[in-house]
Amino acid sequence: MRSSVGEPGLEPLCVRRAMKPQSEQSLGYHSILIVDDDRAVRESLKFSLVIEGFAVRAYADAEQLLSEQHLPKFDCLIVDQNMPGMNGLDLVSALRARRIDTPAILITSHPNQSLRDRAEAAGIPIVEKPLLTSLLDHVRRTVSQAGT
């Protein structure tokens, strides 16, 4: 599994926040939103993150999240790129247009260079599927920086 994160020290804030050792984290206070149309992925991510002590809310697609009258406070957004309707990068753009600048992590299979470039320009790291442990490492780094 690869990440599109660049050189150390130049990682997006989303990633830098998650780099502190777990001993320095207060995981129980960090909230994660997951947006993925694949129910199995969505539920397994939620399960894994809850076991790690994160508060998690999951949505089946971008429209479901955006239809929330009052979005919950969250420290990190994990969003699938390839979903019906609005894709992951467009969802992050829509949230940013609403002045919601919470760090995001994009998950996808086989990202092409154009997607990598767009994600990098937006400051969003990509974690490639299959996710295994790399995504959890990114989430830990992201939320540990949320308080900085």
Side-chain angles (χ1 to χ4, degrees), residues 4-22:
S4 66
V5 177
E7 298 175 32
L10 299 178
E11 299 89 353
L13 181 59
C14 176
V15 174
R16 288 195 315 268
R17 286 184 177 163
M19 290 183 174
K20 293 181 186 175
Q22 188 162 349

Side-chain angles (χ1 to χ4, degrees), residues 5-6 11-12 27 31-32 45 49 54 63 73 79 87-88 123:
V5 177
E11 299 89 353
L27 296 179
S31 179
I32 311 296
L45 281 176
L49 292 167
F54 295 99
E63 291 77 10
K73 180 186 177 309
V79 61
N87 69 43

Side-chain angles (χ1 to χ4, degrees), residues 34-52:
I34 299 169
V35 183
D36 196 313
D37 62 308
D38 184 325
R39 182 177 178 173
V41 171
R42 188 173 63 245
E43 293 302 320
S44 64
L45 281 176
K46 181 176 181 179
F47 179 78
S48 297
L49 292 167
V50 167
I51 285 175
E52 289 291 322

